[in-house]
Amino acid sequence: MNKFKMRTIVLAIIAASLAAGCGGGSSGSGGGTATGSTGSTPGTGSTGSTGTPPATGGTDTGTPPATGGSTDTGSTGGASASKGTTWNSVKWGGGGYVSGLIFHPTTANLLYARTDIGGAYRWNQATSSWTPITDGLGFGAAESKYHGIESIALDPNNDQLVYMATGMYTFEGNGRLYISSDRGDHWTHVDLPFALGGNNPGRAMGERLMVDPNKPSTLFYGSRASGLWKSTDSGKTWAQVTALSSVKMTSDQIGAANGAMGVELVVYDTGTKGSGTATQTIYAAIAPDYVSVAGLASNMYKSTDGGASWSPVPVPVSGYHIPHMVRAADGMFYVVFTKDTGPGAGGPGRFYKFDGSTWTLLKSEDPLNGTNFGLGGVSVQGSGATTRIALGVTNSWGNFSGQQTVQLSDDAGKTWREIEAMTPGENASGWVDDVEIDPANRDHILHVHGGGIIETKNASSASPTWSGNITNIEETATLSLVTPPAGAPYKFINSAGDIGTWLQTDVTVKPTLAPTSNWSNGNAADMAWADPLFIAGAGVANWNGTGSFGFWSGDGGKTWSNFATLPAGAQANTGSSASVAVPARNSIIWAPANSVPSYTTNNGASWTATNLPPLPAVAQGWDRGYHLVADRKNPNKVYAYDSGGASWATAGKFYVSTDGGHTFTLSQGSVTVNLAPKAFWETSVAVNPNAEGDLWLADGNTVYHSVDSGATWTKLNNFASGAGTQGASLIALGKAASGAKYSAAIYVVGTMGGVWGVYRSDDAGATWTRFNDDAHQFGGIGVLAADQNTYGRIYVSGTGRGLFYSN
């Protein structure tokens, strides 16, 4: 698990938001997933841009979607509804950054996990697994950005009530507050008057949203850019707490602060609950960026009148962030100070206890002898001289003597011992930004990391045993997916951010066949249809920073070789707007992002550029690319689709090769139908593997069909873009229904009758059935592939939710 370091997948958040990956450990203060854009240019997020991933149904309109109430009624707009379809996760396990763990303080085993791009989960003690609670209504394609969870708050008086503040990036506009009265099984939502950043830097800091335990209709929220906010009606309406500050940071100030940190957390000073009288003493931690723009006097403020007035609290170190501040049963506060935002912030870090007037230093971390450990999460249990403290040490990669990952004290911080590094079982160092002691079991300690959650249940042991707690958490970010012909020894090839390229042979077991297990991105792959043991793909070697690499296997993934050379454009263009087609063994065409495709007939020993035209840039930092696909019946035919690159660019064009992908000719038929200009990730092309020249194309707005190898095209009028959703963004063909008139089942991700979803046709597009339902929206769908062995089985990716398969 400790291979998950700084994430560099690019997320293109196209109007309704989409996400391809999330955090996964960091070697410094920034880390995290780079971002895309709402119709402008990618690269405004955590670590900058290297490309763009597939979208999840949103449109690149240049503006974020409206944030009104959920309007998905389940109507299918004329298409009949599919009955009896069930969905399961494809097994990987974890794979992304769980940014926070929230225990209910009094109900045993009631625990929630929030993620930076993959929604939220609730622990199921009966099955020892996690239940996703953000797959359904309110989390469709037009609502993908709300899969970034910035904070969760629980009412200590009512264990059914959950508040969840969502919004993936501050640049996307205002966030939402979701409210559930049944532990997240169902949600309503309220539009918030400020921006959130569930996948911005510092996303694992303590909870910004807090419920007053004595008067639970009162909530406070520490926003990233607009100061402190208060609700007195259980989150329905909000007002800025101008007594602290009325300043709202400008977009330039937010950009300069890399997303802004603002008011980092809120803590009530109370040991009671349910009194009916609002808690009077409240602390708020203020980030250096907001202290500066608001002209505040300290990084911490205190109110003794329920938030009506505030005064600065002198702190022992100034200009630091305060990622966590927790209150022990005796009223003592334990406070982490860190110079950087994290995730995985390096030193210096300081840890103090605070009795309301006096600060006492308990632990320091400073760069020393090549190490740069920082401090992250903290949790306490008990009181007085025997207070148990679990403290996360961040940016401490590896597992070696002297390593610090989780430090434990049973004497209120006087002495410390390491309880994870060099102990039995797993180790997950790096992004230890939230640590929690189970309120019902002091020996049960958990912490987050770049690959999910890890825990020990015997923390008091001299050598505690640690293991992953990730069953049913799936937060991988698939960028491309392709299924082989029926009878192949694998189900599909998964090209994913951070975890690379893998062959899945069993959807219930974590895969083992891959060109490398190092930290890499997989951008695209394909197999020879008549010889599916021959596989080729392309990715990014994140582990050594050398950029793109390509690979092939001739034995179904048992052994692999890297291409000896790279085609033109591959080294400089590592983005996921890339494609690979394999017409036959040893024959590969690779289209790196922003590049003219090249072909090889000798497994990458040499490459020759095709005659396809170069792709002009449509915006700075905005990737585009060719979609390549080989005809499955005639390996001499290869097709190339240029989607135009963006909605403001030129119309899409389709090209045909009859010499195995060496030279291409423009299809005048594609020019005649005037394909919509769209981004790479909003479009797709598929071939019917059972008929030569039988092609299907989704241009973002609708679906087109050709039966003559792209010479002419017929437009289907069923699909049309809706409010924040694509008309048709993904298309795949799978095994036909028994007795069907057409030789393949067709699946489209798009919008029909104003309702976004997955649609299936068994009669070449004459009629359609909605294949998913409102409970299975997964924050939008980014990739789609159809199985050739089983009718009705497709594979899809959700926003930060890994892969699913249908039954």
Side-chain angles (χ1 to χ4, degrees), residues 316-591:
V317 288
S318 62
Y320 278 56
H321 296 273
I322 302 175
H324 288 275
M325 176 177 178
V326 295
R327 184 184 187 276
D330 58 3
M332 184 69 71
F333 289 97
Y334 293 87
V335 188
V336 177
F337 290 83
T338 175
K339 194 66 175 176
D340 298 320
T341 61
R350 300 288 183 267
F351 182 58
Y352 289 85
K353 67 178 180 180
F354 176 56
D355 63 5
S357 59
T358 302
W359 295 89
T360 302
L361 180 65
L362 301 179
K363 191 170 178 59
S364 295
E365 290 290 352
D366 288 291
L368 180 67
N369 298 328
T371 65
N372 188 20
F373 298 173
L375 295 176
V378 66
S379 183
V380 301
Q381 191 200 60
S383 62
T386 59
T387 301
R388 166 164 281 191
I389 308 170
L391 179 64
V393 179
T394 58
N395 201 44
S396 58
W397 302 101
N399 189 23
F400 52 86
S401 179
Q403 166 82 15
Q404 297 180 57
T405 303
V406 175
Q407 293 274 289
L408 188 71
S409 174
D410 281 319
D411 54 12
K414 289 184 178 180
T415 61
W416 298 90
R417 66 185 180 96
E418 173 60 31
I419 62 167
E420 182 174 348
M422 304 302 291
T423 63
E426 299 181 33
N427 173 269
S429 57
W431 284 15
V432 192
D433 295 282
D434 187 28
V435 175
E436 299 295 334
I437 302 173
D438 186 340
N441 179 4
R442 70 193 302 266
D443 277 344
H444 183 204
I445 298 177
L446 310 86
H447 72 78
V448 304
H449 66 104
I453 303 165
I454 193 169
E455 67 181 0
T456 181
K457 295 184 178 180
N458 59 341
S460 296
S461 167
S463 185
T465 302
W466 291 79
S467 61
N469 182 355
I470 53 175
T471 302
N472 211 35
I473 289 180
E474 297 290 342
E475 206 187 349
T476 56
T478 294
L479 305 178
S480 176
L481 196 68
V482 60
T483 52
Y490 53 95
K491 302 292 186 183
F492 54 77
I493 306 172
N494 175 13
S495 301
D498 273 14
I499 64 170
T501 301
W502 295 84
L503 270 66
Q504 196 93 27
T505 59
D506 184 338
V507 292
T508 66
V509 177
K510 186 172 182 175
T512 59
L513 300 179
T516 178
S517 59
N518 286 328
W519 177 42
S520 67
N521 292 356
N523 281 340
D526 194 22
M527 78 293 295
W529 201 254
D531 185 6
L533 296 183
F534 184 83
I535 300 160
V540 184
N542 296 327
W543 71 87
N544 60 13
T546 58
S548 294
F549 73 115
F551 40 84
W552 64 276
S553 173
D555 55 11
K558 294 178 182 177
T559 60
W560 298 84
S561 298
N562 286 349
F563 297 149
T565 63
L566 297 176
Q571 191 66 46
N573 293 282
T574 59
S576 61
S577 297
S579 187
V580 170
V582 180
R585 182 173 280 262
N586 304 329
S587 177
I588 304 154
I589 306 98
W590 180 359

Side-chain angles (χ1 to χ4, degrees), residues 53-73:
T56 55
T59 57
D60 64 335
T61 60
T63 56
T67 55
S70 176
T71 57
D72 189 341
T73 63

Side-chain angles (χ1 to χ4, degrees), residues 568-654:
Q571 191 66 46
N573 293 282
T574 59
S576 61
S577 297
S579 187
V580 170
V582 180
R585 182 173 280 262
N586 304 329
S587 177
I588 304 154
I589 306 98
W590 180 359
N594 311 307
S595 305
V596 172
S598 296
Y599 67 89
T600 179
T601 57
N602 53 20
N603 291 340
S606 62
W607 296 87
T608 304
T610 68
N611 67 333
L612 286 164
L615 298 172
V618 294
Q620 184 178 0
W622 181 280
D623 281 346
R624 59 182 301 191
Y626 281 98
H627 291 277
L628 298 175
V629 62
D631 194 293
R632 300 312 198 184
K633 301 296 286 187
N634 183 349
N636 289 320
K637 290 185 177 180
V638 179
Y639 310 103
Y641 168 40
D642 166 22
S643 67
S647 61
W648 57 85
T650 56
K653 296 181 177 64
F654 194 85

Side-chain angles (χ1 to χ4, degrees), residues 61-392:
T61 60
T63 56
T67 55
S70 176
T71 57
D72 189 341
T73 63
S75 168
T76 54
S80 59
S82 179
K83 303 296 183 182
T85 300
T86 60
W87 297 86
N88 296 93
S89 289
V90 175
K91 176 69 173 179
W92 173 267
Y97 191 36
V98 174
S99 51
L101 298 168
I102 303 92
F103 272 102
H104 193 274
T106 58
T107 299
N109 302 314
L110 183 53
L111 169 64
Y112 296 84
R114 58 177 170 92
T115 76
D116 49 10
I117 67 165
Y121 296 81
R122 183 185 67 240
W123 176 248
N124 185 332
Q125 181 69 12
T127 60
S128 296
S129 66
W130 293 92
T131 299
I133 54 177
T134 50
D135 283 348
L137 275 171
F139 302 96
E143 300 158 307
S144 297
K145 70 178 182 180
Y146 304 118
H147 254 211
I149 314 300
E150 187 170 76
S151 190
I152 289 177
L154 308 179
D155 182 349
N157 305 278
N158 178 359
D159 66 7
Q160 299 295 307
L161 188 58
V162 185
Y163 296 94
M164 183 170 64
T166 71
M168 207 170 291
Y169 300 101
T170 53
F171 71 80
E172 293 182 284
N174 293 342
R176 278 183 180 176
L177 178 69
Y178 286 84
I179 305 169
S180 175
S181 59
D182 56 10
R183 299 185 178 183
D185 287 342
H186 302 87
W187 299 97
T188 59
H189 70 257
V190 173
D191 299 326
L192 293 172
F194 46 83
L196 282 72
N199 196 36
N200 279 128
R203 53 195 175 275
M205 290 189 173
E207 300 310 311
R208 295 173 178 269
L209 177 64
M210 294 299 292
V211 177
D212 188 333
N214 289 302
K215 192 173 184 179
S217 59
T218 297
L219 289 78
F220 280 90
Y221 198 94
S223 76
R224 285 180 173 264
S226 299
L228 183 64
W229 292 73
K230 182 179 181 180
S231 173
T232 58
D233 56 7
S234 300
K236 296 180 180 65
T237 61
W238 292 82
Q240 189 182 30
V241 182
T242 56
L244 178 63
S245 175
S246 61
V247 169
K248 297 179 181 178
M249 296 172 70
T250 67
S251 58
D252 287 343
Q253 289 169 332
I254 294 170
N258 198 15
M261 293 306 303
V263 180
E264 295 175 319
L265 55 83
V266 178
V267 180
Y268 294 98
D269 187 4
T270 181
T272 61
K273 65 178 183 177
S275 69
T277 301
T279 302
Q280 295 300 292
T281 302
I282 310 165
Y283 289 91
I286 320 294
D289 55 25
Y290 195 73
V291 167
S292 176
V293 299
L296 298 176
S298 176
N299 292 110
M300 183 179 290
Y301 273 71
K302 178 180 181 180
S303 174
T304 57
D305 52 14
S309 63
W310 296 82
S311 58
V313 176
V315 291
V317 288
S318 62
Y320 278 56
H321 296 273
I322 302 175
H324 288 275
M325 176 177 178
V326 295
R327 184 184 187 276
D330 58 3
M332 184 69 71
F333 289 97
Y334 293 87
V335 188
V336 177
F337 290 83
T338 175
K339 194 66 175 176
D340 298 320
T341 61
R350 300 288 183 267
F351 182 58
Y352 289 85
K353 67 178 180 180
F354 176 56
D355 63 5
S357 59
T358 302
W359 295 89
T360 302
L361 180 65
L362 301 179
K363 191 170 178 59
S364 295
E365 290 290 352
D366 288 291
L368 180 67
N369 298 328
T371 65
N372 188 20
F373 298 173
L375 295 176
V378 66
S379 183
V380 301
Q381 191 200 60
S383 62
T386 59
T387 301
R388 166 164 281 191
I389 308 170
L391 179 64

